[in-house]
Amino acid sequence: MMTEEDDTNPARPKMKLPFFIFFKDARHVFKLDELGSEIAQIALPAALALTADPIASLVDTAFIGQIGPVELAAVGVSIALFNQVSRIAIFPLVSVTTSFVAEEDTIGGMSSESQESEYLETGSCVNTENKELIPQKGCSFDTAKFEPKRRHIPSASSALVIGGILGLLQAIFLISGAKPLLNFMGVNSDSPMLNPAQQYLTLRSLGAPAVLLSLAMQGVFRGFKDTKTPLYATVAGDVTNIILDPVFIYVFRLGVSGAAIAHVISQYLISVILLWKLMSQVDLLSPNLKHLQFGRFLKNGSLLLIRVMAVTFCITLSASMAARQGSTSMAAFQVCLQVWLATSLLADGLAVAGQAILASAFAKKDYDKATVTASRVLQLGLVLGLILSVILGGGLSFGAKLFTKDVNVLHLIGTGIPFVAATQPINSLAFVFDGVNFGASDFAYSAFSLVLVAIVSIMCLSVLSSSYGFIGLWIALTIYMSLRACAGFWRIGTGTGPWKFLRS
């Protein structure tokens, strides 16, 4: 029998099948209620911060494209290689950090509120008439208990230590193995792309420690539901990159090396800004190493590492196959891929919001909020994807001329545009599903489901690229993103794992 409270509680799920979570309160998708405002305050700055780096890479691409198609293709291979190797370390680190920090901050906040409430109830320093904290005669009032303190978040310290180590390892790996890695990507020793690609990759790899550290810190701020601080830092760094690009490329005549140097400087600037802000909010020096929880990080991070390696192999393999088709194909693929990823990352802002809010809700066991949050961010993701699809379908053909004037490259870009535009709703849902499942700490399912998706996608890439060339690559990538979205849909839609409460 439904009580009056059950009937009037808008947050309580009114569905019998988990599948209906995707349609719950769909008419309120744009409503700026408390949840809508919370999502917007997290998602908008996060989306802008996430797209800032790909946009900076697009600016690099635009400047280098004016030098020539060979340099454009060379930098395209190097950026693809750097980004995919970085993702192997970045994605597990940032995703795990966001969830762990959100949980620890939520539990710590609940503990602090409980202690403060107990102090007020047992203390004699409360004016019972107006409930104000006014010291009464003869009472002992410890003001130190109410002074703002830096948060004690062990996961923040763990993330920085792990991020610094991984950044150094990545730099050493890419610098020492630049030539064989580029050979693997299809840039052979006799290719005109080899020298500029090796120059760009080697120099840009010097910024790997800064990239890993800055993204680890972004994961911490996301866990605090603060995405504005990372946005300000990222914009400051990327504006610096954009200003320095023409200076190093044209004024100092450093070519592709100048673009790499400008990017490295911007990454270290971002790291310094974030570290300065983080040190004012968090106690980063844990008194005991066991509090750093490396075991917890490594266990869940290794699961996501498996997942990211599967994703990385798919994207890297597609770039490698494009490079094997020649510099024209690689240049066109680079432009399409950068636009494809940059716009799709807008949906990652919703994923960040969903992950942070859901991690907090699951820590409190607030399943009502978990349900409505998952519904809202998924619905917003679909709408965002449809909007991006329309914008790219109508505007990318004109915008392609900003990256190159080569007629053959422009022709191939035109071939890829329908795929880039049409897949935006699928991409958006896939990214948001990731954030939702990470918010539920469902890392094992996320890892192993993606391995199966990758196996099927790699087979599609091999067959379709050899049969249909450039178009085949994009058909295979469309299949890949569709399977990713289906994997996320299946977990929640069937009410299994952490979502089994949907069936109760």
Side-chain angles (χ1 to χ4, degrees):
M1 180 176 180
M2 182 176 290
T3 65
E4 182 178 349
E5 180 184 352
D6 292 328
D7 186 55
T8 57
N9 185 356
R12 187 174 298 279
K14 295 182 174 112
M15 61 195 78
K16 294 182 179 180
L17 295 174
F19 173 81
F20 289 110
I21 188 176
F22 304 111
F23 307 102
K24 178 177 173 58
D25 296 329
R27 64 185 182 279
H28 299 314
V29 63
F30 296 117
K31 186 176 181 181
L32 276 178
D33 51 11
E34 183 179 351
L35 177 60
S37 298
E38 187 176 15
I39 292 173
Q41 289 171 7
I42 299 173
L44 291 177
L48 293 173
L50 286 164
T51 55
D53 190 61
I55 288 172
S57 293
L58 284 174
V59 172
D60 283 350
T61 304
F63 280 121
I64 294 167
Q66 306 306 312
I67 301 175
V70 172
E71 287 78 5
L72 176 61
V75 171
V77 175
S78 297
I79 290 176
L81 181 58
F82 182 89
N83 287 344
Q84 296 311 314
V85 172
S86 295
R87 281 180 62 84
I88 293 176
I90 288 170
F91 194 81
L93 179 61
V94 176
S95 298
V96 170
T97 299
T98 299
S99 292
F100 289 177
V101 169
E103 292 172 7
E104 290 175 8
D105 193 39
T106 299
I107 295 171
M110 292 168 63
S111 176
S112 297
E113 289 176 4
S114 176
Q115 290 176 2
E116 182 178 328
S117 175
E118 181 181 353
Y119 178 76
L120 293 178
E121 289 176 1
T122 59
S124 58
C125 298
V126 180
N127 186 315
T128 55
E129 293 183 4
N130 54 20
K131 307 299 181 184
E132 291 179 353
L133 293 173
I134 300 176
Q136 303 298 311
K137 185 176 180 179
C139 83
S140 175
F141 185 75
D142 188 1
T143 57
K145 293 196 176 191
F146 297 97
E147 291 178 359
K149 295 181 180 180
R150 289 187 296 177
R151 293 177 170 101
H152 178 65
I153 307 290
S155 293
S157 300
S158 303
L160 289 184
V161 173
I162 296 172
I165 294 172
L166 290 176
L168 288 172
L169 292 176
Q170 180 184 330
I172 294 170
F173 173 71
L174 288 174
I175 292 172
S176 61
K179 187 173 181 180
L181 287 170
L182 289 169
N183 289 157
F184 171 76
M185 292 290 290
V187 183
N188 299 319
S189 299
D190 57 350
S191 172
M193 293 188 288
L194 180 61
N195 285 335
Q198 190 169 352
Q199 290 173 17
Y200 186 90
L201 180 60
T202 301
L203 288 170
R204 183 158 174 177
S205 297
L206 295 173
V211 172
L212 268 294
L213 278 173
S214 65
L215 286 166
M217 287 184 280
Q218 286 189 41
V220 175
F221 282 110
R222 290 177 190 175
F224 295 152
K225 300 179 184 178
D226 174 12
T227 51
K228 291 182 180 179
T229 298
L231 171 62
Y232 298 149
T234 303
V235 168
D238 287 340
V239 168
T240 301
N241 182 30
I242 292 170
I243 293 172
L244 293 178
D245 259 340
V247 175
F248 286 123
I249 293 173
Y250 303 120
V251 178
F252 294 159
R253 300 182 182 277
L254 294 176
V256 297
S257 297
I261 293 171
H263 202 90
V264 169
I265 292 173
S266 72
Q267 291 300 323
Y268 277 99
L269 177 60
I270 293 171
S271 293
V272 169
I273 294 172
L274 288 175
L275 183 60
W276 173 63
K277 292 293 293 182
L278 190 60
M279 289 178 66
S280 67
Q281 299 182 31
V282 179
D283 182 6
L284 294 177
L285 299 176
S286 176
N288 196 325
L289 286 177
K290 71 178 182 180
H291 294 156
L292 292 178
Q293 303 179 3
F294 285 127
R296 187 183 182 205
F297 259 82
L298 293 175
K299 176 184 176 181
N300 292 281
S302 60
L303 287 172
L304 287 186
L305 178 61
I306 295 172
R307 183 184 190 282
V308 174
M309 289 178 67
V311 173
T312 299
F313 193 82
C314 288
I315 300 298
T316 304
L317 180 62
S318 64
S320 174
M321 289 180 172
R324 294 174 194 277
Q325 295 174 12
S327 59
T328 299
S329 179
M330 183 59 215
F333 184 80
Q334 160 66 6
V335 173
C336 289
L337 184 67
Q338 287 296 316
V339 173
W340 193 61
L341 293 177
T343 53
S344 297
L345 283 174
L346 287 169
D348 234 354
L350 286 171
V352 169
Q355 181 180 2
I357 297 172
L358 283 167
S360 178
F362 274 98
K364 295 178 181 178
K365 300 188 185 304
D366 187 351
Y367 298 126
D368 287 346
K369 186 166 185 178
T371 301
V372 295
T373 299
S375 299
R376 187 75 64 88
V377 293
L378 288 167
Q379 291 161 8
L380 287 169
L382 178 60
V383 172
L384 175 62
L386 292 171
I387 293 172
L388 289 173
S389 183
V390 173
I391 293 173
L392 291 179
L396 187 54
S397 58
F398 301 100
K401 295 179 182 178
L402 294 173
F403 302 103
T404 181
K405 294 183 173 69
D406 188 280
V407 177
N408 294 325
V409 175
L410 287 171
H411 174 73
L412 272 184
I413 291 175
T415 303
I417 287 174
F419 295 98
V420 174
T423 54
Q424 291 304 309
I426 301 171
N427 295 0
S428 295
L429 283 175
F431 283 123
V432 176
F433 271 123
D434 289 344
V436 168
N437 283 322
F438 295 159
S441 295
D442 198 8
F443 299 120
Y445 175 80
S446 297
F448 297 123
S449 64
L450 225 294
V451 170
L452 294 177
V453 168
I455 292 172
V456 176
S457 301
I458 289 168
M459 291 189 292
C460 291
L461 275 168
S462 301
V463 173
L464 293 172
S465 64
S466 60
S467 301
Y468 301 100
F470 187 81
I471 293 178
L473 286 174
W474 283 103
I475 294 174
L477 287 175
T478 301
I479 294 171
Y480 159 68
M481 291 305 299
S482 299
L483 291 175
R484 278 186 64 176
C486 288
F489 176 88
W490 177 263
R491 187 60 154 179
I492 302 174
T494 56
T496 52
W499 301 99
K500 61 184 178 182
F501 68 86
L502 293 174
R503 293 187 280 117
S504 62

